[in-house]
Amino acid sequence: MIHRPPPSSLADLQARADALRGVSLGVLAAELGAAIPEDARRSKGWIGQLVEAALGADGGSRPEPDFAGLGVELKTIPVTKDGRPRESTFVCTAPIEGAFEGAWLESRVRHKLAHVLWVPIHGDHEGTLELRTIGVPKLWVPNPEEDAALAADWLLLSELIAGGELHRINARLGAVMQLRPKGANAADYAWMIDDEGGWVRAVPYGFYLRTRFTAKLIAG
DNA sequence: GACTGATCATAG
DNA sequence: CTATGATCAGTC
């Protein structure tokens, strides 16, 4: 697949993203010489990687922003025909091995979300991948209210992990952000000692943004 | 429709 | 193996 060179500036990135509005994934894949997967269920990350290639994301699978030079993270987000997100959005994994990250300002979550390019993907998930289309991309920087909401959830959830209170972790916690399993499958776990001194299974967790939060971000 | 727990693919 | 990219599938 052809991978375009990285954008030279924020304006360049914005312009390239805007140029993708309304383009179908079939057309985009053809332009980049990418093969379209037969089975959408087995191609969960394909759309994200296609858009990365189209926009020249250079972060690769390293723990850096997708557009390293610009400090911008790219997120594709599946939306319904009225533009509402279908799914929550994965942010990053949560360090389960005791390593408390320190302050919110230094956290991986905040670094990931400092500057995000949201690219909505429209389309029926029963249909084929190539008929889905790209919506209106939006560059986002958290405003003070959004940052405060994220910080509050991050503190709540991080303290549960740091305190070994794994049995209290579930996806219901957090107003705008939650912790959910992020492993290969249910067999993906480690054993560790929790706050009560007993051995417990520790599945890998990830931070996810709730649908109702991302809905506000990509609207208007 | 929203939500939760589980799962799939690829790169380095 | 760990990071990246997320969506699936069943239930509420």
Side-chain angles (χ1 to χ4, degrees):
Chain A
M1 156 160 57
I2 296 170
H3 198 105
R4 296 196 173 132
S8 57
S9 67
L10 221 46
D12 186 16
L13 174 58
Q14 179 82 65
R16 290 198 207 179
D18 286 343
L20 295 180
R21 285 171 57 174
V23 173
S24 73
L25 299 187
V27 167
L28 186 57
E31 282 181 6
L32 297 174
I36 295 164
E38 298 281 326
D39 185 356
R41 288 178 308 175
R42 294 184 173 276
S43 313
K44 294 182 183 180
W46 183 77
I47 297 176
Q49 286 162 5
L50 183 72
V51 177
E52 281 184 355
L55 294 176
D58 55 357
S61 63
R62 294 171 296 165
E64 293 177 22
D66 294 305
F67 302 98
L70 303 176
V72 173
E73 180 73 17
L74 173 67
K75 289 289 182 194
T76 56
I77 181 166
V79 296
T80 59
K81 60 179 184 298
D82 51 329
R84 293 193 59 83
R86 292 174 179 275
E87 295 281 352
S88 53
T89 301
F90 174 67
V91 180
C92 63
T93 52
I96 203 76
E97 294 291 345
F100 189 53
E101 291 179 331
W104 162 242
L105 292 179
E106 280 75 49
S107 69
R108 295 163 63 186
V109 173
R110 188 166 185 279
H111 283 138
K112 274 280 183 188
L113 299 181
H115 204 163
V116 178
L117 175 64
W118 297 99
V119 179
I121 305 294
H122 293 263
D124 180 359
H125 279 206
E126 305 310 311
T128 61
L129 283 168
E130 66 244 52
L131 293 181
R132 299 184 199 177
T133 57
I134 295 173
V136 180
K138 186 167 183 185
L139 274 169
W140 170 72
V141 174
N143 65 31
E145 293 76 28
E146 291 161 346
D147 188 74
L150 290 167
D153 285 347
W154 176 84
L155 190 61
L156 166 76
L157 300 170
S158 295
E159 286 185 340
L160 285 182
I161 295 175
E165 301 177 75
L166 301 184
H167 58 281
R168 288 186 55 201
I169 293 177
N170 62 65
R172 296 173 186 80
L173 301 172
V176 300
M177 187 165 65
Q178 61 187 164
L179 280 174
R180 299 224 307 278
K182 170 64 165 130
N185 52 54
D188 189 350
Y189 61 84
W191 289 96
M192 63 175 286
I193 296 177
D194 72 359
D195 61 328
E196 296 172 345
W199 287 97
V200 294
R201 284 188 184 200
V203 302
Y205 281 103
F207 287 103
Y208 293 78
L209 298 179
R210 291 186 184 279
T211 302
R212 56 182 170 225
F213 183 67
T214 52
K216 289 191 301 180
L217 307 185
I218 64 175

